[in-house]
Amino acid sequence: MIYVIARMELNEGCKDAMLAVLAKTVPQVLAEEGCIMYTPCLDADDADGKYLTLVEAWKNREVHKAHLEMPHMADFRAAVKDLRKGCDVKIIEPVM
């Protein structure tokens, strides 16, 4: 199993638009083979919604790579390109 932590810095005032895009995307991702978890999270101490983090769990790197090539992920990237300043992605694996 791998975990993916994707932290996005949102453009000012874009939190609601990002959440609307995710409301459509999350069910599609959760339906993918090998997806164990795909959870959007807001920072608990960030009232303005400046950062949004996707916490993901995948069966392995291969299914995660396939996920990135899915048509709905291309749609997601196009829909959010003007909503965020960037995205920092970390892929981590359990050691125990």
Side-chain angles (χ1 to χ4, degrees), residues 33-46:
E33 177 152 353
C35 180
I36 299 165
M37 178 177 68
Y38 193 82
T39 306
C41 302
L42 293 171
D43 286 9
D45 296 327
D46 176 22

PDB file of all heavy atoms in Angstrom, residues 33-46:
ATOM      1  N   GLU A  33     -10.362   0.910  -9.333  1.00  0.00           N
ATOM      2  CA  GLU A  33      -9.753  -0.288  -8.756  1.00  0.00           C
ATOM      3  C   GLU A  33      -8.461   0.093  -8.054  1.00  0.00           C
ATOM      4  O   GLU A  33      -7.641   0.838  -8.594  1.00  0.00           O
ATOM      5  CB  GLU A  33      -9.462  -1.320  -9.833  1.00  0.00           C
ATOM      6  CG  GLU A  33      -8.779  -2.527  -9.268  1.00  0.00           C
ATOM      7  CD  GLU A  33      -9.041  -3.784 -10.048  1.00  0.00           C
ATOM      8  OE1 GLU A  33      -9.866  -3.760 -10.971  1.00  0.00           O
ATOM      9  OE2 GLU A  33      -8.412  -4.786  -9.711  1.00  0.00           O
ATOM     10  N   GLY A  34      -8.299  -0.377  -6.845  1.00  0.00           N
ATOM     11  CA  GLY A  34      -7.079  -0.126  -6.090  1.00  0.00           C
ATOM     12  C   GLY A  34      -7.110   1.108  -5.221  1.00  0.00           C
ATOM     13  O   GLY A  34      -6.177   1.342  -4.456  1.00  0.00           O
ATOM     14  N   CYS A  35      -8.174   1.905  -5.315  1.00  0.00           N
ATOM     15  CA  CYS A  35      -8.296   3.076  -4.455  1.00  0.00           C
ATOM     16  C   CYS A  35      -8.871   2.638  -3.114  1.00  0.00           C
ATOM     17  O   CYS A  35      -9.954   2.057  -3.052  1.00  0.00           O
ATOM     18  CB  CYS A  35      -9.191   4.138  -5.074  1.00  0.00           C
ATOM     19  SG  CYS A  35      -9.361   5.609  -4.031  1.00  0.00           S
ATOM     20  N   ILE A  36      -8.152   2.907  -2.063  1.00  0.00           N
ATOM     21  CA  ILE A  36      -8.587   2.543  -0.718  1.00  0.00           C
ATOM     22  C   ILE A  36      -9.188   3.752  -0.004  1.00  0.00           C
ATOM     23  O   ILE A  36     -10.167   3.628   0.729  1.00  0.00           O
ATOM     24  CB  ILE A  36      -7.391   1.970   0.072  1.00  0.00           C
ATOM     25  CG1 ILE A  36      -6.869   0.710  -0.637  1.00  0.00           C
ATOM     26  CG2 ILE A  36      -7.762   1.702   1.530  1.00  0.00           C
ATOM     27  CD1 ILE A  36      -5.495   0.265  -0.178  1.00  0.00           C
ATOM     28  N   MET A  37      -8.612   4.925  -0.246  1.00  0.00           N
ATOM     29  CA  MET A  37      -9.093   6.149   0.400  1.00  0.00           C
ATOM     30  C   MET A  37      -8.726   7.339  -0.478  1.00  0.00           C
ATOM     31  O   MET A  37      -7.646   7.379  -1.076  1.00  0.00           O
ATOM     32  CB  MET A  37      -8.442   6.303   1.778  1.00  0.00           C
ATOM     33  CG  MET A  37      -8.836   7.566   2.513  1.00  0.00           C
ATOM     34  SD  MET A  37      -8.120   7.683   4.180  1.00  0.00           S
ATOM     35  CE  MET A  37      -6.387   7.891   3.781  1.00  0.00           C
ATOM     36  N   TYR A  38      -9.625   8.306  -0.544  1.00  0.00           N
ATOM     37  CA  TYR A  38      -9.386   9.548  -1.280  1.00  0.00           C
ATOM     38  C   TYR A  38     -10.202  10.616  -0.575  1.00  0.00           C
ATOM     39  O   TYR A  38     -11.395  10.758  -0.803  1.00  0.00           O
ATOM     40  CB  TYR A  38      -9.826   9.373  -2.742  1.00  0.00           C
ATOM     41  CG  TYR A  38      -9.367  10.465  -3.674  1.00  0.00           C
ATOM     42  CD1 TYR A  38      -8.089  10.449  -4.215  1.00  0.00           C
ATOM     43  CD2 TYR A  38     -10.219  11.502  -4.036  1.00  0.00           C
ATOM     44  CE1 TYR A  38      -7.666  11.431  -5.099  1.00  0.00           C
ATOM     45  CE2 TYR A  38      -9.806  12.488  -4.919  1.00  0.00           C
ATOM     46  CZ  TYR A  38      -8.541  12.446  -5.441  1.00  0.00           C
ATOM     47  OH  TYR A  38      -8.124  13.422  -6.323  1.00  0.00           O
ATOM     48  N   THR A  39      -9.548  11.329   0.348  1.00  0.00           N
ATOM     49  CA  THR A  39     -10.266  12.214   1.261  1.00  0.00           C
ATOM     50  C   THR A  39      -9.729  13.642   1.197  1.00  0.00           C
ATOM     51  O   THR A  39      -8.582  13.885   1.581  1.00  0.00           O
ATOM     52  CB  THR A  39     -10.133  11.689   2.705  1.00  0.00           C
ATOM     53  OG1 THR A  39     -10.558  10.334   2.745  1.00  0.00           O
ATOM     54  CG2 THR A  39     -10.966  12.513   3.665  1.00  0.00           C
ATOM     55  N   PRO A  40     -10.545  14.591   0.731  1.00  0.00           N
ATOM     56  CA  PRO A  40     -10.137  15.996   0.781  1.00  0.00           C
ATOM     57  C   PRO A  40     -10.238  16.502   2.224  1.00  0.00           C
ATOM     58  O   PRO A  40     -11.204  16.210   2.927  1.00  0.00           O
ATOM     59  CB  PRO A  40     -11.165  16.715  -0.093  1.00  0.00           C
ATOM     60  CG  PRO A  40     -11.935  15.651  -0.795  1.00  0.00           C
ATOM     61  CD  PRO A  40     -11.796  14.407   0.009  1.00  0.00           C
ATOM     62  N   CYS A  41      -9.231  17.278   2.633  1.00  0.00           N
ATOM     63  CA  CYS A  41      -9.186  17.806   3.999  1.00  0.00           C
ATOM     64  C   CYS A  41      -8.782  19.278   3.966  1.00  0.00           C
ATOM     65  O   CYS A  41      -7.920  19.668   3.181  1.00  0.00           O
ATOM     66  CB  CYS A  41      -8.158  17.053   4.835  1.00  0.00           C
ATOM     67  SG  CYS A  41      -8.423  15.287   4.955  1.00  0.00           S
ATOM     68  N   LEU A  42      -9.397  20.054   4.845  1.00  0.00           N
ATOM     69  CA  LEU A  42      -8.980  21.437   5.048  1.00  0.00           C
ATOM     70  C   LEU A  42      -8.197  21.512   6.340  1.00  0.00           C
ATOM     71  O   LEU A  42      -8.470  20.756   7.288  1.00  0.00           O
ATOM     72  CB  LEU A  42     -10.202  22.357   5.124  1.00  0.00           C
ATOM     73  CG  LEU A  42     -10.994  22.504   3.827  1.00  0.00           C
ATOM     74  CD1 LEU A  42     -12.302  23.249   4.092  1.00  0.00           C
ATOM     75  CD2 LEU A  42     -10.178  23.238   2.775  1.00  0.00           C
ATOM     76  N   ASP A  43      -7.228  22.415   6.398  1.00  0.00           N
ATOM     77  CA  ASP A  43      -6.472  22.611   7.626  1.00  0.00           C
ATOM     78  C   ASP A  43      -7.425  23.053   8.734  1.00  0.00           C
ATOM     79  O   ASP A  43      -8.219  23.980   8.545  1.00  0.00           O
ATOM     80  CB  ASP A  43      -5.395  23.670   7.432  1.00  0.00           C
ATOM     81  CG  ASP A  43      -4.220  23.179   6.600  1.00  0.00           C
ATOM     82  OD1 ASP A  43      -4.315  22.076   6.029  1.00  0.00           O
ATOM     83  OD2 ASP A  43      -3.212  23.894   6.541  1.00  0.00           O
ATOM     84  N   ALA A  44      -7.344  22.419   9.863  1.00  0.00           N
ATOM     85  CA  ALA A  44      -8.247  22.702  10.982  1.00  0.00           C
ATOM     86  C   ALA A  44      -8.121  24.138  11.474  1.00  0.00           C
ATOM     87  O   ALA A  44      -9.105  24.720  11.954  1.00  0.00           O
ATOM     88  CB  ALA A  44      -7.987  21.723  12.124  1.00  0.00           C
ATOM     89  N   ASP A  45      -6.949  24.737  11.361  1.00  0.00           N
ATOM     90  CA  ASP A  45      -6.728  26.093  11.866  1.00  0.00           C
ATOM     91  C   ASP A  45      -6.715  27.148  10.769  1.00  0.00           C
ATOM     92  O   ASP A  45      -6.271  28.271  10.994  1.00  0.00           O
ATOM     93  CB  ASP A  45      -5.396  26.146  12.642  1.00  0.00           C
ATOM     94  CG  ASP A  45      -5.422  25.270  13.874  1.00  0.00           C
ATOM     95  OD1 ASP A  45      -6.497  25.133  14.496  1.00  0.00           O
ATOM     96  OD2 ASP A  45      -4.364  24.714  14.213  1.00  0.00           O
ATOM     97  N   ASP A  46      -7.200  26.808   9.590  1.00  0.00           N
ATOM     98  CA  ASP A  46      -7.170  27.721   8.445  1.00  0.00           C
ATOM     99  C   ASP A  46      -8.597  28.102   8.070  1.00  0.00           C
ATOM    100  O   ASP A  46      -9.205  27.496   7.197  1.00  0.00           O
ATOM    101  CB  ASP A  46      -6.449  27.050   7.271  1.00  0.00           C
ATOM    102  CG  ASP A  46      -6.444  27.895   6.002  1.00  0.00           C
ATOM    103  OD1 ASP A  46      -6.613  29.120   6.086  1.00  0.00           O
ATOM    104  OD2 ASP A  46      -6.259  27.299   4.927  1.00  0.00           O
TER     105      ASP A  46
END
